[in-house]
Amino acid sequence: MYAIDFEYANERLSDYGMMICNFNSSGGAEAVSSGADITFSQAKASGSSRFSLYSFAYENAYTATFQICRLPNRSKAGKALYLTPDEVTAIQRWLCRREYHRFKIDQDGYQNIYWNAVFQSKQIMLNGQIAGLELTMYTDAPYAYLDEIHIEYTCHGGMPFQLYDESGETGYIRPELEITILSDQYIDGEGNLQQTKRGIFVLSNSMDNKFMQISNCSVGEVLNIDGKNQMIFSTDEEHDVAKDFNYFYPKIINTYDDKLNIYTPSLDCKIRFSYSPIRKIGL
């Protein structure tokens, strides 16, 4: 890490008159986790000298430890570099939460990268006084994220549109979707145009063999789909969307060779995707 400041829960370390430091700096290089700590399971067949890879997993969320101290320019006549108990209490009240908040480091190249984090804190004592704090950051995932991306499309029923996944991890992310129904006409299974008072909305993805379906959609209705927490809401109070939903939440998918998702809606609509691409990077 080459930075002196960070942002956490919309406040900055420098707001507290503090900076990132290292009380035991040796000036040498060090190896740090970069969000790619994967545990591999291997086995070999009897009589063989070759090991096959049969599974892998992220065993732990990303963690990092660093230290903070008072900014040198805050040390003036009558105010030492040491911290008072009241100052330590205020800093730990800010950092040591019971829920995740967004953490961003103030370093070149990291402007759009964040972690969802909580902190553990220990005092660094020197000559019987508090010289700084050692912070251990615990996150909700093995990797970091890019700032949330919002992409909006105005679509015609039966006409595909494309979304290129920005994630640095193969697999899938379930995004948040806001879908505004613009027409009650739909394309049936035989490719014929149909129209009813309430249409059937289907969203398929060329990279997936499953699709989302919501029946009885009306013109002007807005559907909010929270893929991360697997919840769905409708602005139409008469629509029992829980009954009409097939409970498949759309995915943004990428493989090593292909990141292009081609979606096709069955109804004219406006769709807004919101998601945070994965970044394998460490502090």
Side-chain angles (χ1 to χ4, degrees):
M1 185 194 314
Y2 185 74
I4 62 171
D5 203 2
F6 65 76
E7 180 183 301
Y8 181 67
N10 298 316
E11 295 184 76
R12 299 185 70 82
L13 181 63
S14 54
D15 294 338
Y16 289 81
M18 302 289 289
M19 62 177 283
I20 299 170
C21 64
N22 190 339
F23 285 90
N24 299 303
S25 177
S26 62
E30 61 176 333
V32 300
S33 173
S34 63
D37 293 336
I38 304 174
T39 299
F40 296 98
S41 297
Q42 297 172 287
K44 68 182 182 71
S46 177
S48 172
S49 61
R50 298 189 63 184
F51 286 79
S52 299
L53 179 65
Y54 66 88
S55 71
F56 69 91
Y58 288 103
E59 297 291 344
N60 299 293
Y62 179 76
T63 65
T65 299
F66 52 93
Q67 298 167 335
I68 61 173
C69 64
R70 193 190 299 281
L71 281 164
N73 61 8
R74 295 295 182 94
S75 178
K76 301 178 181 178
K79 190 170 187 179
L81 286 174
Y82 297 113
L83 302 174
T84 68
D86 285 346
E87 289 172 322
V88 171
T89 296
I91 294 168
Q92 293 188 148
R93 184 177 185 274
W94 166 47
L95 294 175
C96 302
R97 308 285 189 105
R98 297 181 182 180
E99 62 283 322
Y100 293 112
H101 289 275
R102 185 170 297 202
F103 170 87
K104 301 186 77 170
I105 196 74
D106 190 7
Q107 183 171 325
D108 288 346
Y110 285 71
Q111 293 88 340
N112 298 321
I113 296 174
Y114 74 92
W115 290 261
N116 291 317
V118 292
F119 286 93
Q120 180 187 81
S121 174
K122 295 181 180 179
Q123 295 176 183
I124 299 172
M125 305 301 293
L126 183 64
N127 299 322
Q129 300 191 71
I130 306 170
L133 298 174
E134 181 173 272
L135 304 177
T136 300
M137 180 177 77
Y138 297 89
T139 72
D140 70 341
Y143 33 67
Y145 305 95
L146 276 182
D147 284 340
E148 195 170 57
I149 292 176
H150 305 283
I151 310 172
E152 191 170 293
Y153 305 87
T154 298
C155 314
H156 295 290
M159 298 295 292
F161 62 92
Q162 300 179 347
L163 187 152
Y164 185 82
D165 185 17
E166 298 289 342
S167 287
E169 170 80 330
T170 58
Y172 66 85
I173 293 173
R174 290 190 175 99
E176 293 184 9
L177 295 176
E178 182 183 275
I179 303 169
T180 304
I181 305 299
L182 302 179
S183 171
D184 54 8
Q185 295 181 336
Y186 69 98
I187 305 297
D188 65 19
E190 297 179 356
N192 300 314
L193 181 65
Q194 303 289 343
Q195 182 169 355
T196 61
K197 184 177 180 181
R198 288 183 173 271
I200 300 173
F201 181 80
V202 175
L203 184 66
S204 61
N205 182 352
S206 63
M207 295 188 70
D208 204 338
N209 59 6
K210 297 182 180 180
F211 56 85
M212 180 183 73
Q213 178 172 307
I214 305 170
S215 303
N216 295 315
C217 297
S218 59
V219 176
E221 178 179 2
V222 180
L223 300 162
N224 289 287
I225 298 162
D226 182 348
K228 180 179 179 181
N229 298 302
Q230 299 196 18
M231 296 187 294
I232 183 169
F233 307 94
S234 172
T235 58
D236 184 348
E237 295 180 356
E238 297 181 0
H239 188 183
D240 187 356
V241 68
K243 180 181 178 181
D244 291 330
F245 182 41
N246 70 343
Y247 286 91
F248 176 77
Y249 293 87
K251 302 171 184 175
I252 299 174
I253 301 173
N254 81 67
T255 66
Y256 188 77
D257 297 315
D258 191 2
K259 292 186 174 185
L260 186 63
N261 292 255
I262 302 175
Y263 296 94
T264 304
S266 63
L267 300 176
D268 292 355
C269 60
K270 184 164 61 177
I271 302 182
R272 177 182 171 90
F273 285 77
S274 299
Y275 80 109
S276 293
I278 292 168
R279 279 292 179 268
K280 291 183 177 180
I281 195 69
L283 295 176

